[in-house]
Amino acid sequence: MLALPPVAPPNWWPLHTRLGRDHCIRVDTCDYSVHPRAIGRQITARADTEEVVATTRAGETVAHHSRCWARHQTITDPEHAAAAEMLRGQAIRQRASHARARGPAGLAPDDLGVEVEQRQLGSYDRIFTLIEGGAAKEDT
C-alpha cells in the first residue's frame, strides 16, 4: 500500500449567514467576534484546523481568529470590541439628539404635567363586593 500524499485539510464548516447585532459567528460550539461594521451584511465563515476567517460577499476579511478547540468559548478580538463600543456610543448619542429634536412630544405624560384621574382603592372593594354594601353603592 502507498502512503497518502500530503494534502491540506479542506475548509470545513463553510457558513453563509447575515451577521447579527451581537457581531459573533458560531463555529462548532465557539463564538468568534466579527468586526461590527459587517452587522446586517452577508458573510461567509470558513474554518479549518488552524484558523477561522470571515469575509463579506465583496471579499473583505472582517474576522481572522486562531481556531479554539475548547468547547463553548467566546473569542473576541480587542479591535472588534473597541469598534463595537464606539458604535454603541454613537448610536446612544444619535438617539439622544433625535429625542431632543422631537421636543416635548418625546416626553412621558408625567413630564408634561398632565394629571390622570386615580380612583380610591376602597371603590374597588365595593365594586367586587369585598366590603358590605358592594355593587349597590356604585349603582346609586
Side-chain angles (χ1 to χ4, degrees):
M1 219 171 159
L2 297 173
L4 293 173
V7 179
N11 284 335
W12 298 330
W13 295 292
L15 170 69
H16 305 283
T17 187
R18 183 174 305 274
L19 188 61
R21 289 179 60 184
D22 65 348
H23 67 89
C24 286
I25 54 171
R26 179 162 289 172
V27 175
D28 199 13
T29 62
C30 294
D31 293 332
Y32 296 88
S33 69
V34 176
H35 199 286
R37 72 174 173 259
I39 290 174
R41 295 168 58 187
Q42 288 286 338
I43 62 166
T44 300
R46 297 202 181 275
D48 59 21
T49 57
E50 299 295 321
E51 61 187 13
V52 175
V53 178
T55 57
T56 62
R57 283 190 174 188
E60 176 186 11
T61 300
V62 289
H64 189 273
H65 296 280
S66 296
R67 182 70 186 271
C68 178
W69 289 100
R71 298 183 59 76
H72 307 292
Q73 301 295 308
T74 300
I75 294 82
T76 304
D77 185 332
E79 180 183 326
H80 298 167
E85 187 65 32
M86 182 190 67
L87 289 173
R88 267 189 226 103
Q90 287 176 352
I92 289 169
R93 285 189 297 277
Q94 187 177 29
R95 274 189 246 126
S97 68
H98 286 308
R100 281 192 301 273
R102 282 193 311 252
L107 298 176
D110 292 336
D111 297 336
L112 295 175
V114 176
E115 289 189 33
V116 178
E117 182 182 356
Q118 294 183 359
R119 209 177 254 241
Q120 292 183 1
L121 293 177
S123 63
Y124 292 106
D125 293 337
R126 284 191 303 277
I127 290 171
F128 296 113
T129 63
L130 296 175
I131 61 173
E132 192 173 315
K137 286 195 175 188
E138 286 293 321
D139 293 336
T140 59

